[in-house]
């Protein structure tokens, strides 16, 4: 890859679930001018009090290497893994999407939701809330199709990711 | 093992004792009164009362850098903590191990905008290696010991421990350092064998090699400096040091090319530009060193040895990046070099040295000392000559005087040079000298400063007096913020906007007001006598030397220029230029 080419990376970080740890990670990105496209965090191991943070970021290969090196040297960080480089991985995101429409548009939104296997989790005479789970690209595509059909609000969780096969962090 | 229950302040003091701390630099206030009470009751730890919390951190930095130990600071909540921020940032940039204990309002008041409350962990997060807020007495002892581990291992740095007042009073169990294990932070010190072998092969095949070494060698310790010296002599390779690395290799040695970078020597920068193999050792390719990155050492293959993975490939991509401690890696390199009986092609190395001698011939640091006005470089050279037979430590402030000290005071040993490199903090010099003198009471400690910088922590004169710290503060007084004036002259059409030092104090009277000696000198013929007089005085001295007010610091690579486009001073080609100590005595 060219040194100046910018690419997107999904990075998983295993951290001690302690006060301020998220601020350290976010502060590192904002303080050094790296960008965060998406970020998720939740405790994944209650007995060891460890959380997993998944960050989607982008940069040149040198910047991505810096980001990982900077993350690795934070004291509460146990492990940093670049899922984009470590082999195939699964990425999933959940989105809740509100569509306000009537008539043909309303029907069309239901039809598309069906194709995308999105569920209506709330409905009124003039609105739906769809729940969709999938790769960020699939959700992007769904949202794009909903735009002309009365899309009025979107809430996305950000990406959760894990490598395929037997590989672990 | 049975738990010992103490109160929080006792736990803190006991942890300091068990960590081998002898001195704390601090300033009291409401939130830390329980700790001060504990300090009052004991005599195992000495407390040095500074006159401003920024100075406490700089003093601890001076103490740490000159001893290789950790420096400890104690300040109160709110303004005490915020005053310490500049010092903490300075220590972070220069990789100095510091433990800074800050007071905090009681846990139940945190977040209430209580009196003298500040979000200390929030404020100091980006300017510390790590920080802790202790909200649970159970964790106090563990946190103390972990903080020392974090501050001193890997790439050293400052660590803040924020201590709410109720935690200092409440009962808490004490753990010995050996009872605490560190779960996440265990940096690699041994380098990868395969990479080290590759690096050795590369060096052995070089025609124009250079070693570029920095503060990481000093951080690694005296033993690492010794191995570096051996390795350099064994291979016959030229070596250059960064501002932070001065003393890691003896300045008087013929393989030493001087400092590199913006105000480095012609030979060091040209050799960096033209080399074919560069080994960077504990040096972080700072922009003051590389100049314009697009033209930085274009033809070389590069190896970098650093304990911090994030220093590798940060500014300059390298061919081989070895993560590990300088001392450990160099030891392995020595062994492999010897075992494989490597030798750099003698003919190639000779002609490389010939080229370097040509650059050396420019005598880029020479200057003329006239009869009527003292040259600042001359003060440094003379003081160097006059202190050769003493154990001498040098600190500086920031500006031209700092660069002249780096260029003209030859450092033979590590840990004898203290300067603010990364942050460039004016006001560093005097408190840092204080810390050095506390650690080395019998040594000669000299602070080179400027008329502007010295004003930034001048209140510390009272600390010098109180503890009989015989620091010699030498002001190279050009009545300007000289470095600012130089840039204004070269880059802003000589419009000296706000860089003239109007209404300076009378430094002799000022010294006397603080209760010690002040001296002045403005005649080149009196310089040696005045310097000797200063060195003989058993107590602090401020010496105000009137120097040439328009002298510029050369060589200089203007920002954004490559190494081979240095500006050299007007004197460099003059026949009468003096650049030997003998010659310099002739005024
Ligand atoms: C007015 C002014 C002018 C300046 N001009 C110059 C100049 O001309 N030339 C110059 O060189 N500097 C100059 N500086 C200083 C410059 O800003 C930097 O501070 C300096 O160049 C950094 O030095 P360094 O690369 O040795 O790194 P340091 O800041 O000392 O960093 C040390 C490096 O070593 C690593 N390390 C630490 N411990 C170990 C270990 N045990 N093992 C392995 N690696 C370790 C660290 O991770 C880090 O990467 C100037 C500063 C000022 C204020
Ligand atoms: C705290 C701080 N403020 C501002 C600066 C910017 N600065 C760098 S050098 C300098 C002038 C220093 O003047 P002086 O101490 O007289 O030293 P000289 O350059 O004359 O030797 C200034 C203002 C700084 N480095 N630190």
């Amino acid at each position: 890859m060219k040194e100046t080419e910018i690419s997107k990376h999904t990075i998983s970080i295993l951290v001690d679930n302690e006060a301020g740890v998220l601020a350290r990670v976010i502060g590192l990105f904002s303080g050094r001018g790296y960008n965060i496209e998406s970020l998720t965090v939740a405790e994944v191991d209650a007995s060891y009090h460890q959380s997993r943070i998944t960050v989607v970021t982008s940069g040149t290969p040198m910047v991505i290497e810096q980001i990982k090196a900077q993350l690795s040297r934070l004291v509460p960080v146990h492990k940093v893994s670049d899922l984009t480089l470590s082999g195939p991985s699964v990425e999933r995101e959940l989105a809740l999407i509100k569509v306000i429409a009537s008539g043909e548009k309303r029907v069309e939104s239901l039809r598309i939701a069906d194709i995308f296997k999105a569920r209506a989790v709330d409905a009124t005479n003039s609105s739906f809330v769809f729940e969709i789970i999938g790769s960020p690209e699939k959700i992007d595509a769904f949202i794009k199709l909903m735009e002309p059909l009365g899309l009025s609000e979107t809430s996305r969780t950000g990406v959760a990711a894990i490598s395929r096969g037997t590989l672990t962090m | 093992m049975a738990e010992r229950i103490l109160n929080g302040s006792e736990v803190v003091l006991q942890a300091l004792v068990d960590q081998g701390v002898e001195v704390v630099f601090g300033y009291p206030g409401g939130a830390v009164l329980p700790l001060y009470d504990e300090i009052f009751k004991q005599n195992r730890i000495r407390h040095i009362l500074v006159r401003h919390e920024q100075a406490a951190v700089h003093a601890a930095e001076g103490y740490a850098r000159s001893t290789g130990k950790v420096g400890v600071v104690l300040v109160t909540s709110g303004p005490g903590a915020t005053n310490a921020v500049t010092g903490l940032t300075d220590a972070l940039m220069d990789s100095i191990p510091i433990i800074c204990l800050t007071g905090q309002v009681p846990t139940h008041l945190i977040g209430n905008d209580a009196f003298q409350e500040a979000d200390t962990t929030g404020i100091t997060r980006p300017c510390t290696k790590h920080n802790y807020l202790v909200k649970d007495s159970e964790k106090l002892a563990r946190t103390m010991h972990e903080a020392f581990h974090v501050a001193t291992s890997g790439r050293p740095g400052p660590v803040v421990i924020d201590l709410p007042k109720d935690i200092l009073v409440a009962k808490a169990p004490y753990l010995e350092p050996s009872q605490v294990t560190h779960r996440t932070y265990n940096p690699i010190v041994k380098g990868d064998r395969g990479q080290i072998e590759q690096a050795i092969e590369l060096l052995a095949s070089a025609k124009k090699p250079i070693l570029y070494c920095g503060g990481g060698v000093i951080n690694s310790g005296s033993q690492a400096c010794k191995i570096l010296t051996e390795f350099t002599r064994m291979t016959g390779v030229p070596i250059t040091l960064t501002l932070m690395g001065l003393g890691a290799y003896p300045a008087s040695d013929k393989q030493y090319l001087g400092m590199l970078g913006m105000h480095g020597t012609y030979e060091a920068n040209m050799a960096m530009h033209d080399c074919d193999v560069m080994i960077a050792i504990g040096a972080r390719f700072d922009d003051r060193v590389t100049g314009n990155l697009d033209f930085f050492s274009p033809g070389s293959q590069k190896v970098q040895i650093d304990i911090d993975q994030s220093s590798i490939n940060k500014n300059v991509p390298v061919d081989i990046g070895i993560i590990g401690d300088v001392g450990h890696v160099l030891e392995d390199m020595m062994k492999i070099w010897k075992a494989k009986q490597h030798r750099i092609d003698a003919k190639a190395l000779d002609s490389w040295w010939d080229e370097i001698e040509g650059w050396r011939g420019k005598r880029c640091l020479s200057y003329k000392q006239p009869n009527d006005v003292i040259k600042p470089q001359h003060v440094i050279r003379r003081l160097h000559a006059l202190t050769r037979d003493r154990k001498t430590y040098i600190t500086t402030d920031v500006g031209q005087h700092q660069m002249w000290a780096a260029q003209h005071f030859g450092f033979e040993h590590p840990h004898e040079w203290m300067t603010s490199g990364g942050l460039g903090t004016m006001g560093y010099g005097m408190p840092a000298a204080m810390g050095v003198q506390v650690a080395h009471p019998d040594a000669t400690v000299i602070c080179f400063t400027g008329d502007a910088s010295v004003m930034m922590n001048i209140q510390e004169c009272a600390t010098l007096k109180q503890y009989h710290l015989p620091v010699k503060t030498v002001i190279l007084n050009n009545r300007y913020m000289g470095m600012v004036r130089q840039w204004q002259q070269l880059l802003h059409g000589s419009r000296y906007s706000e860089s003239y030092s109007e209404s300076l104090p009378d430094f002799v009277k000022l010294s006397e007001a603080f209760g010690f000696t002040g001296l002045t000198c403005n005649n080149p013929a009196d310089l040696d006598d005045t310097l000797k007089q200063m060195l003989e005085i058993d107590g602090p001295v401020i010496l105000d030397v009137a120097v040439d007010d328009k002298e510029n610091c050369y060589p200089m690579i203007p920002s954004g220029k490559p190494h081979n486009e240095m500006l050299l001073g007007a004197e460099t080609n003059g026949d009468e230029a003096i650049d030997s100590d003998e010659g310099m005595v002739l005024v």
Side-chain angles (χ1 to χ4, degrees):
Chain A
M1 191 183 301
K2 283 232 299 287
E3 277 305 314
T4 50
E5 214 162 273
I6 290 180
S7 63
K8 203 191 265 197
H9 286 246
T10 304
I11 297 171
S12 279
I13 313 154
L14 223 47
V15 299
D16 283 328
N17 183 13
E18 60 181 33
V21 65
L22 193 57
R24 282 181 214 286
V25 170
I26 294 175
L28 192 155
F29 278 79
S30 62
R32 293 180 184 268
Y34 307 140
N35 89 52
I36 297 181
E37 295 188 6
S38 129
L39 177 122
T40 60
V41 52
E43 188 168 84
V44 289
D45 188 334
S47 53
Y48 284 97
H49 301 292
Q50 284 188 1
S51 293
R52 183 170 175 135
I53 299 176
T54 308
V55 189
V56 180
T57 182
S58 57
T60 61
M62 221 160 138
V63 166
I64 296 291
E65 187 186 333
Q66 261 301 300
I67 291 175
K68 289 184 283 189
Q70 294 285 354
L71 286 169
S72 303
R73 69 178 193 156
L74 293 179
V75 171
V77 167
H78 287 260
K79 228 163 178 185
V80 176
S81 162
D82 186 337
L83 294 177
T84 306
L85 293 185
S86 66
S89 62
V90 187
E91 293 191 1
R92 286 293 178 271
E93 192 178 358
L94 182 149
L96 296 173
I97 285 150
K98 185 173 286 185
V99 176
I100 302 176
S102 56
E104 185 48 36
K105 283 187 176 173
R106 182 172 160 82
V107 179
E108 179 65 6
S109 72
L110 257 186
R111 253 200 302 270
I112 292 176
D114 194 43
I115 296 168
F116 277 79
K117 298 204 170 62
R119 287 197 304 145
V121 290
D122 177 69
T124 67
N125 284 339
S126 53
S127 71
F128 288 120
V129 173
F130 293 115
E131 173 202 89
I132 177 168
I133 297 173
S135 68
E137 295 73 31
K138 173 174 164 182
I139 294 173
D140 288 346
F142 183 66
I143 290 171
K144 208 161 167 52
L145 288 172
M146 286 297 157
E147 261 165 21
L149 303 177
L151 175 82
S152 59
E153 201 175 330
T154 308
S155 173
R156 298 174 69 154
T157 57
V159 173
I162 204 159
S163 55
R164 289 182 188 272
T166 53
L167 194 71
T168 59
M169 250 187 109
Chain B
M1 193 186 239
E3 270 187 351
R4 272 169 72 196
I5 303 292
L6 307 172
N7 70 47
S9 299
E10 287 169 336
V11 167
V12 172
L13 263 285
Q14 187 61 48
L16 294 180
V17 170
D18 287 348
Q19 290 289 346
V21 175
E22 289 163 357
V23 192
V24 170
F25 300 91
Y27 205 95
V32 285
L33 286 182
L35 262 175
Y36 273 88
D37 208 29
E38 217 47 61
I39 287 172
F40 186 85
K41 291 186 211 155
Q42 57 85 53
N43 55 15
R44 294 172 298 177
I45 287 180
R46 186 174 178 209
H47 181 274
I48 303 286
L49 176 69
V50 295
R51 300 307 194 264
H52 187 293
E53 289 87 351
Q54 180 193 349
V57 187
H58 293 325
E61 288 184 272
Y63 179 92
R65 191 73 168 180
S66 67
T67 58
K69 298 189 211 162
V70 61
V72 181
V73 176
L74 168 56
V75 299
T76 194
S77 66
T82 55
N83 268 352
V85 164
T86 299
L88 293 169
T89 312
D90 193 86
L92 181 73
M93 293 289 272
D94 286 346
S95 305
I96 314 286
I98 297 290
I99 295 288
C100 178
L101 306 170
T102 55
Q104 184 54 279
V105 300
T107 41
H108 68 275
L109 287 181
I110 290 177
N112 281 17
D113 295 334
F115 176 62
Q116 295 198 326
E117 179 182 2
D119 174 6
T120 300
T121 44
I123 290 170
T124 61
R125 197 170 291 128
C127 67
T128 53
K129 182 174 173 186
H130 193 56
N131 62 19
Y132 301 89
L133 168 61
V134 182
K135 283 163 106 176
D136 175 359
S137 297
E138 290 284 328
K139 291 191 180 147
L140 179 57
R142 158 180 303 282
T143 304
M144 288 293 298
H145 296 313
E146 189 176 295
F148 275 85
H149 170 69
V150 171
T152 53
S153 50
R155 179 181 188 165
V159 175
V160 161
I161 311 174
D162 204 20
L163 299 163
K165 195 170 183 181
D166 52 330
I167 297 287
L168 292 177
V169 178
K171 293 284 172 216
Y174 185 69
L175 295 172
E176 313 263 323
S178 59
Q179 292 171 277
V180 175
T181 53
H182 305 290
R183 287 187 305 158
T184 56
Y185 191 72
N186 292 304
I188 302 169
V189 293
K190 270 311 261 169
D192 178 86
R193 178 82 187 191
Q195 283 184 311
I196 295 177
E197 277 174 7
Q198 278 177 24
I200 286 291
E201 294 295 329
L202 187 62
L203 181 61
S205 69
K207 303 235 172 318
K208 298 174 164 198
I210 191 166
L211 303 179
Y212 146 53
C213 307
V217 187
I218 311 271
N219 284 134
S220 189
S222 305
Q223 184 59 22
C225 299
K226 244 179 79 187
I227 305 176
L228 174 68
T229 306
E230 259 181 74
F231 185 73
T232 309
R233 295 211 172 121
M234 192 173 73
T235 53
V237 171
I239 178 169
T240 176
L241 299 172
T242 67
L243 182 74
M244 295 308 293
L246 299 182
Y249 188 86
S252 60
D253 191 273
K254 58 183 192 317
Q255 279 172 257
Y256 179 57
L257 307 188
M259 183 173 82
L260 80 165
M262 181 175 273
H263 293 292
T265 65
Y266 187 68
E267 52 271 32
N269 285 326
M270 291 303 286
M272 284 290 280
H273 188 268
D274 284 7
C275 68
D276 68 348
V277 171
M278 174 192 301
I279 316 263
I281 307 176
R284 58 185 173 83
F285 293 93
D286 185 84
D287 51 65
R288 294 265 144 155
V289 162
T290 59
N292 189 329
L293 282 175
D294 293 340
F295 303 102
F296 176 69
S297 195
S300 63
Q301 286 194 280
K302 300 175 184 74
V303 177
Q304 186 178 2
I305 302 165
D306 204 292
I307 203 154
D308 179 356
Q309 194 187 338
S310 77
S311 281
I312 294 174
N313 287 331
K314 176 186 275 181
N315 304 322
V316 173
V318 296
D319 300 278
I320 304 173
I322 301 171
I323 303 169
D325 166 61
V326 166
H328 285 81
V329 175
L330 277 178
E331 209 180 320
D332 287 347
M333 286 174 76
M334 285 276 277
K335 278 192 202 138
I336 297 170
W337 186 271
K338 281 185 185 158
K340 300 226 163 139
Q341 300 188 322
H342 277 310
R343 183 154 294 184
I344 295 171
D345 174 4
K347 243 180 84 192
L349 198 55
D350 280 350
S351 73
W352 179 223
W353 273 111
D354 284 346
E355 219 175 322
I356 291 172
E357 290 307 332
W359 294 321
R360 260 188 183 156
K362 289 255 189 200
R363 298 193 300 174
C364 67
L365 295 178
S366 51
Y367 60 91
K368 265 187 265 181
Q369 174 53 60
N371 289 326
D372 52 344
V373 58
I374 301 173
K375 289 285 180 182
Q377 302 93 315
H378 195 56
V379 181
I380 308 229
R381 290 243 167 199
R382 290 312 304 148
L383 208 41
H384 181 224
L386 293 171
T387 53
R388 280 222 172 112
D389 52 353
R390 296 164 175 251
K391 183 76 177 159
T392 307
Y393 294 86
I394 302 293
T395 75
T396 73
D397 266 301
V398 173
Q400 292 178 316
H401 64 274
Q402 176 188 27
M403 293 299 113
W404 284 318
Q407 293 171 336
H408 295 277
F409 203 101
F411 295 94
E412 296 293 308
H413 310 287
H415 305 294
E416 293 176 2
W417 162 248
M418 269 53 58
T419 198
S420 169
L423 196 63
T425 312
M426 289 168 73
Y428 169 92
M430 188 185 282
M434 242 156 61
V436 175
Q437 191 83 72
V438 167
H440 310 275
D442 300 325
T444 301
V445 181
I446 297 167
C447 164
F448 286 114
T449 181
D451 45 272
S453 292
V454 74
M455 297 301 289
M456 285 221 182
N457 266 321
I458 194 79
Q459 78 286 346
E460 295 309 317
C461 286
T463 314
L464 292 177
K465 174 66 184 170
Q466 178 178 344
Y467 297 96
H468 312 291
L469 300 171
V471 168
K472 309 295 185 261
T473 302
V474 179
I475 306 174
L476 300 183
N477 189 342
N478 49 18
R479 307 198 70 86
Y480 278 102
M481 298 173 193
M483 188 59 91
V484 172
R485 190 203 54 72
Q486 174 169 346
W487 282 54
Q488 287 173 332
Q489 181 190 341
L490 298 175
L491 300 158
H492 298 274
S494 298
R495 289 177 297 281
Y496 298 143
S497 176
E498 305 294 328
S499 56
Y500 183 67
S501 292
E502 286 282 354
S503 86
L504 282 172
D506 175 332
F507 287 105
V508 172
K509 283 191 186 151
L510 184 88
S511 311
E512 285 165 2
F514 277 108
F516 55 80
T517 312
L519 300 171
T520 55
C521 184
N522 53 28
N523 183 348
D526 299 337
L527 181 64
D528 265 34
D529 285 344
T530 314
L531 293 177
K532 284 182 201 156
Q533 185 190 354
M534 173 187 82
L535 290 171
E536 288 318 311
I537 292 172
D538 180 25
V541 179
I542 290 182
L543 166 59
D544 180 9
V545 189
V547 298
D548 188 346
D549 63 352
K550 292 289 162 59
E551 186 71 10
N552 283 339
C553 184
Y554 292 114
M556 176 176 180
I557 305 176
S559 295
K561 294 274 187 191
H563 274 170
N564 56 356
E565 286 183 36
M566 308 193 82
L567 300 179
L568 296 173
E571 306 300 336
T572 18
N573 302 316
D575 289 339
E576 300 142 281
I578 320 167
D579 68 347
S580 72
D581 283 317
E582 289 73 27
M584 229 95 51
V585 188
L586 306 169
V587 277

